[in-house]
Amino acid sequence: MNRKIIALAVFLAAFTASLWLFLPYKPFIDNIISATEKNTGMSWEYDSSDDGIFYTRYYDVKINGRETGDVSFSHNPLMLLRKKIRVTSTGIYNTDAVMSEDSVRFTLETAGQAMDYISKPVRFEGRVYLEGFLTATEAPSELRAQIAKAIMTTPIGELAFENVTASVEIKGNMINVLSLKATGKTELNMSGTVHLDKRHPAMSDVQLTGTAGVLGIRKNMTLKGTVGNLHPIFN
């Protein structure tokens, strides 16, 4: 009996090792990428790729036309059977994510300058950190952001918001901004909606309302326009 158990264990170990060594990983990952493009509206381009037992790597990736850097997919038979892949990227955006056909759970860190498609009238400085869960199912997606500094040109002059945090919920093309806050000399407290353009995020329609504290005076504030061309209004 013991010999049979040992023989079975050896067979299972050899079978698992063979799966790991000989499974065609890249076509499987390409299928996940294609499904993700279809479900999320993203476009994915790259210059070249290579793969091995532990990874599949794509070089000079562009997502929705924007340079991202090099993207690596870590894989093993268990994750593939669960139809999940771990993804990391290095370059302009440093990302760690677990991706399946219909969802992505991720963290992302970049510099404010990398958010240059948001340019009117806002620019970012310092560290930008995002974490979230994006899904193509009926469940809402969630996203949280931390931004070291945001500088906005307004009708009353240039305002610098520090320690900016945001919490949003996404369902379909609608983003509900549950909270947009900043602390420091200039305070900010806003909420509202963004109608998402998945292929051209800078064209997403923004409607936010709330207050801003300027030199100790609290003013009602509205942000409207598109992500790439916002119009701050005080009343």
Side-chain angles (χ1 to χ4, degrees):
M1 179 63 71
N2 288 339
R3 289 181 179 180
K4 290 182 178 180
I5 294 174
I6 291 171
L8 178 60
V10 170
F11 171 79
L12 290 175
F15 178 74
T16 301
S18 297
L19 272 178
W20 199 353
L21 288 170
F22 300 115
L23 269 177
Y25 292 108
K26 188 173 182 299
F28 186 88
I29 292 170
D30 285 341
N31 286 337
I32 289 182
I33 291 172
S34 295
T36 303
E37 285 183 295
K38 180 180 178 181
N39 290 332
T40 64
M42 294 190 315
S43 66
W44 170 279
E45 304 171 75
Y46 60 94
D47 285 346
S48 60
S49 65
D50 64 52
D51 59 336
I53 297 173
F54 299 99
Y55 71 91
T56 299
R57 185 172 294 124
Y58 298 84
Y59 298 97
D60 297 325
V61 172
K62 292 182 180 180
I63 297 177
N64 290 346
R66 292 188 61 81
E67 294 182 2
T68 301
D70 299 335
V71 179
S72 298
F73 294 79
S74 302
H75 40 60
N76 59 55
L78 181 59
M79 288 194 74
L80 292 180
L81 289 172
R82 295 168 60 189
K83 294 187 177 181
K84 291 186 177 182
I85 295 293
R86 182 163 184 192
V87 188
T88 57
S89 69
T90 55
I92 298 174
Y93 303 96
N94 296 307
T95 307
D96 191 352
V98 174
M99 184 174 74
S100 65
E101 288 183 318
D102 59 8
S103 68
V104 180
R105 189 177 295 277
F106 72 95
T107 61
L108 181 150
E109 186 172 1
T110 188
Q113 292 85 342
M115 311 290 285
D116 58 356
Y117 59 88
I118 306 175
S119 57
K120 295 180 180 180
V122 182
R123 69 181 187 274
F124 298 125
E125 294 182 357
R127 175 179 176 266
V128 175
Y129 178 81
L130 303 174
E131 63 174 332
F133 173 70
L134 306 179
T135 176
T137 67
E138 292 297 318
S141 300
E142 298 174 354
L143 181 66
R144 290 173 296 279
Q146 298 174 8
I147 302 168
K149 189 174 186 179
I151 300 173
M152 179 185 299
T153 302
T154 77
I156 62 173
E158 195 172 77
L159 300 178
F161 299 99
E162 297 180 343
N163 303 318
V164 180
T165 60
S167 176
V168 308
E169 188 175 85
I170 308 168
K171 195 162 187 178
N173 292 332
M174 186 60 66
I175 300 177
N176 290 314
V177 181
L178 306 176
S179 171
L180 175 62
K181 295 183 178 182
T183 59
K185 292 181 180 179
T186 307
E187 296 181 355
L188 185 69
N189 189 355
M190 305 191 79
S191 60
T193 60
V194 178
H195 189 78
L196 178 63
D197 186 326
K198 291 181 179 179
R199 292 199 175 274
H200 305 285
M203 299 302 296
S204 301
D205 184 66
V206 178
Q207 296 284 340
L208 302 179
T209 59
T211 60
V214 183
L215 300 176
I217 301 173
R218 189 168 298 279
K219 294 179 176 290
N220 293 327
M221 181 177 174
T222 300
L223 272 179
K224 50 195 306 191
T226 64
V227 168
N229 189 12
L230 291 170
H231 299 287
I233 300 169
F234 290 96
N235 50 43

